[in-house]
Amino acid sequence: IAGITQAPTSQILAAGRRMTLRCTQDMRHNAMYWYRQDLGLGLRLIHYSNTAGTTGKGEVPDGYSVSRANTDDFPLTLASAVPSQTSVYFCASSKTSGEPYNEQFFGPGTRLTVL
Amino acid sequence: GQNIDQPTEMTATEGAIVQINCTYQTSGFNGLFWYQQHAGEAPTFLSYNVLDGLEEKGRFSSFLSRSKGYSYLLLKELQMKDSASYLCAVCSNDYKLSFGAGTTVTVRA
């Protein structure tokens, strides 16, 4: 693994189903993030984790949950998917979370369609 | 809240120069990032400004004026491969990034 990986690459999901998007990084970064990207709205932060064992809510957290059991993995779960969650989801990581210069590295994205 | 504005689209000719403006109003400021995103791909880091002035990196330069809440990304000697979306992102007091909607640049031969 080099950098950040996400799985699946794409998924079509029936409304009401539960779905977990996976994200793994091998850079030993402390901070990880989940964004959704919608046309005309740009990237919006869903949840973040400053370090393993901690998580926080971003701008659009409703309907999503995350966990951070270890440094490498940061899964995003949709408990009961709705069509408005159709989007492209990007996972990102950064070395730290509490410094001004804090370049974030992005995974390849998961394209999710909820019908 | 955060308010970050950038133009939706720009078109330029190969070899030309394009300037992408970004204005922002945010709760606190800890720097401004520019990312490049090719269609269907992940955003990749281009530049970071935290002090006023111009940062040059090859064909790309980024400028910041904190008092005006303004930045621009300058792309010189445009190449076809520069066709992409360019995302302006501001790092606020909580060290989280807020992104603009992105500017899609199309380079024509």
Side-chain angles (χ1 to χ4, degrees):
Chain A
I1 297 178
I4 302 181
T5 58
Q6 293 184 233
T9 301
S10 65
Q11 182 75 44
I12 299 174
L13 189 66
R17 298 296 297 269
R18 181 184 179 90
M19 176 74 193
T20 295
L21 308 185
R22 300 184 298 278
C23 175
T24 299
Q25 53 103 0
D26 67 351
M27 297 177 284
R28 307 305 293 172
H29 282 173
N30 284 317
M32 297 187 75
Y33 313 84
W34 274 106
Y35 294 90
R36 58 178 291 172
Q37 187 174 38
D38 303 289
L39 196 64
L41 294 178
L43 287 158
R44 291 181 292 168
L45 183 64
I46 304 170
H47 285 286
Y48 64 90
S49 169
N50 289 335
T51 188
T54 69
T55 62
K57 294 182 179 180
E59 179 186 355
V60 288
D62 293 344
Y64 306 95
S65 63
V66 291
S67 61
R68 186 89 184 276
N70 57 60
T71 297
D72 299 345
D73 301 300
F74 190 43
L76 176 75
T77 297
L78 289 67
S80 179
V82 295
S84 61
Q85 292 178 311
T86 294
S87 187
V88 180
Y89 291 86
F90 286 100
C91 179
S93 72
S94 62
K95 195 171 183 180
T96 65
S97 61
E99 298 173 358
Y101 175 67
N102 204 8
E103 179 187 346
Q104 292 186 17
F105 296 82
F106 286 82
T110 293
R111 183 173 297 275
L112 182 68
T113 302
V114 183
L115 301 176
Chain B
Q2 325 294 356
N3 188 17
I4 301 168
D5 291 316
Q6 50 181 131
T8 304
E9 295 179 331
M10 301 183 76
T11 301
T13 306
E14 198 173 14
I17 298 173
V18 70
Q19 177 175 314
I20 306 169
N21 297 324
C22 173
T23 58
Y24 63 89
Q25 293 174 309
T26 61
S27 52
F29 182 81
N30 275 310
L32 187 144
F33 290 80
W34 283 97
Y35 279 81
Q36 181 189 58
Q37 185 178 24
H38 284 100
E41 298 183 6
T44 55
F45 170 81
L46 282 179
S47 68
Y48 172 74
N49 295 68
V50 68
L51 300 176
D52 290 352
L54 187 67
E55 295 277 345
E56 296 187 86
K57 191 186 295 185
R59 294 188 298 113
F60 294 1
S61 303
S62 56
F63 172 83
L64 175 67
S65 169
R66 288 172 296 172
S67 62
K68 295 181 179 178
Y70 168 69
S71 172
Y72 68 73
L73 179 69
L74 195 68
L75 286 62
K76 294 176 279 190
E77 300 169 18
L78 278 172
Q79 302 176 8
M80 299 300 287
K81 67 179 182 180
D82 297 330
S83 291
S85 286
Y86 292 85
L87 315 180
C88 173
V90 175
C91 183
S92 54
N93 275 346
D94 61 358
Y95 301 106
K96 300 298 179 288
L97 295 185
S98 295
F99 286 82
T103 300
T104 299
V105 172
T106 302
V107 181
R108 294 185 172 165

